[in-house]
Amino acid sequence: MAVYNQIKADAILMGKLKHDADLLEELTEICKQNKIQLGRVEALGAVKKARIGFYDQQKKEYNFFEIDKPLEITNLIGNVSLKDGEPIVHAHITLADAKGNAFGGHLAPGTIIFACEFIINSYEGPEYCRGLDQQTHLPLWKME
Ligand code: ZN
């Protein structure tokens, strides 16, 4: 059964990220600086290189791979919640190369920004805290 809450939209942040910075770290830092504990993230732009994770459902572990070339961010979608009391951005990204071939997965540290425009929607609502989920071994939201 799906578990969810009704939440209210608060502030919206819209801007651009720093050239040469780490994409996931930048987004996380903005959330920390603005005390955003619950929210939605979207972005587009380009990266110099990417590091992406794929969760092996059998082995219950992430495999990470790097794509060491310029890529367009055709989509980045994510959410903001809490892990160990700190804001954490969970984002998935789709990237395209010079020929339009697309790659995607779980955004990992090591994805370096060329240019990036972002929107972060901050929400008011109950705390969404991540903790180890027994079934998947993923740090999912603890909800009843
Ligand atoms: Zn993920």
Side-chain angles (χ1 to χ4, degrees), residues 93-129:
I93 190 167
T94 308
L95 301 152
D97 70 11
K99 292 190 170 143
N101 296 308
F103 309 90
H106 178 97
L107 177 64
T111 299
I112 305 304
I113 299 162
F114 181 75
C116 183
E117 299 171 349
F118 73 91
I119 300 173
I120 300 174
N121 293 263
S122 166
Y123 297 141
E124 284 174 19
E127 286 190 344
Y128 278 55
C129 299

Side-chain angles (χ1 to χ4, degrees), residues 53-55 62 77 89-93 105-107 130 138:
F54 179 85
Y55 194 67
Y62 272 104
I77 187 81
V89 173
H90 177 207
H92 285 198
I93 190 167
H106 178 97
L107 177 64
R130 293 190 179 277
L138 285 165

Side-chain angles (χ1 to χ4, degrees), residues 1-39:
M1 195 177 73
V3 190
Y4 53 90
N5 298 297
Q6 192 167 44
I7 52 178
K8 242 177 87 182
D10 188 13
I12 300 171
L13 309 182
M14 186 168 169
K16 61 178 185 175
L17 299 179
K18 205 166 55 190
H19 181 79
D20 262 341
D22 186 282
L23 179 53
L24 186 58
E25 284 174 13
E26 282 283 288
L27 292 170
T28 306
E29 197 50 43
I30 290 167
C31 293
K32 285 182 179 172
Q33 281 172 6
N34 291 276
K35 298 188 173 21
I36 297 170
Q37 302 192 333
L38 192 62

